[in-house]
């Protein structure tokens, strides 16, 4: 990896696609909140990870591998978050009156995310999904599990999901 510029930082992230989970380091501008990076105009076409640890779920039992560098097409990303224990401030104002937290299960490939989504108090969950125009939705207080990896149990304060690539279930 090349030396960081004065205005760059390294952040460890976890990226989920239909067939894999990748954990690695991204180089981002110092002023970028990496937890919402995919929502910004500066999002790249490929997420470039250094020191990547990969779990592949395509065909049979999960397989692990390592890559010095890996480039994941952003359009294939289903979910994204900072690797614990790192976290950014949450992306909402808790005093906002017209929003409520809705418990939801979000299915991302073989992963299950149990968390909360902020929706309008004026609509139901289905209507909120129908009118959502954002490419990325936030899920909060998330417990991540995978039946193919019984030992995998992760808690994150916030993650992003691509609403058009995941399945939502209500608890």
């Amino acid at each position: 990896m090349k030396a960081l510029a004065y205005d760059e930082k390294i952040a460890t992230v976890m990226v989920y696609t239909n067939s894999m989970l990748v954990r690695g380091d991204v180089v981002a501008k110092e002023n970028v909140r990496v937890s919402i990076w995919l929502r910004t105009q500066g999002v790249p076409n490929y997420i470039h990870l250094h020191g990547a640890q990969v779990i592949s779920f395509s065909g049979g039992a999960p397989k692990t591998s390592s890559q010095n560098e890996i480039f994941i097409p952003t359009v294939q990303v289903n979910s994204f978050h900072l690797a614990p224990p790192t976290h950014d401030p949450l992306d909402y104002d808790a005093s906002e009156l017209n929003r409520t937290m809705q418990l939801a299960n979000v299915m991302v490939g073989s992963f299950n995310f149990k968390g909360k989504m902020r929706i309008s108090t004026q609509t139901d969950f289905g209507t909120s999904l129908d009118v959502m125009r954002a490419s990325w939705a936030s899920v909060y207080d998330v417990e991540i599990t995978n039946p193919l990896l019984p030992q995998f149990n992760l808690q994150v304060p916030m993650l992003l999901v691509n609403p058009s690539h995941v399945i939502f279930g209500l608890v």
Side-chain angles (χ1 to χ4, degrees):
M1 180 165 58
K2 68 177 180 78
L4 292 178
Y6 75 95
D7 63 342
E8 292 178 327
K9 65 181 176 183
I10 292 177
T12 303
V13 299
M14 298 177 77
V15 178
Y16 301 76
T17 71
N18 281 338
S19 61
M20 67 177 55
L21 164 62
V22 183
R23 182 182 193 276
D25 295 332
V26 294
V27 176
K29 293 294 182 185
E30 188 66 47
N31 61 348
V32 170
R33 284 178 55 193
V34 176
S35 62
I36 60 169
W37 181 43
L38 299 183
R39 285 191 186 151
T40 67
Q41 291 182 357
V43 67
N45 291 324
Y46 289 84
I47 297 178
H48 180 190
L49 297 172
H50 300 270
Q53 300 165 340
V54 180
I55 302 175
S56 175
F57 297 94
S58 54
K63 296 176 184 82
T64 61
S65 65
S66 297
Q67 302 286 326
N68 287 335
E69 294 180 69
I70 194 168
F71 296 82
I72 303 169
T74 305
V75 297
Q76 291 184 14
V77 175
N78 296 341
S79 184
F80 175 90
H81 63 83
L82 285 167
T86 306
H87 60 85
D88 281 339
L90 297 178
D91 63 346
Y92 68 89
D93 179 0
S95 66
E96 188 177 14
L97 298 176
N98 296 320
R99 297 278 176 196
T100 187
M101 288 289 197
Q102 171 71 56
L103 291 174
N105 283 332
V106 183
M107 291 161 261
V108 179
S110 59
F111 287 89
N112 187 37
F113 298 168
K114 291 182 182 177
K116 301 172 188 166
M117 296 184 69
R118 286 181 63 77
I119 65 168
S120 170
T121 57
Q122 306 302 311
T123 64
D124 61 19
F125 192 81
T127 304
S128 292
L129 287 178
D130 280 340
V131 299
M132 183 185 306
R133 299 289 180 240
S135 300
W136 296 95
S138 297
V139 184
Y140 307 98
D141 300 324
V142 185
E143 177 187 2
I144 305 170
T145 58
N146 187 318
L148 301 175
L149 301 169
Q151 72 281 12
F152 188 90
N153 191 324
L154 194 60
Q155 300 276 345
V156 295
M158 185 184 102
L159 57 78
L160 296 179
V161 295
N162 183 328
S164 64
H165 290 182
V166 302
I167 297 169
F168 296 96
L170 295 182
V171 183

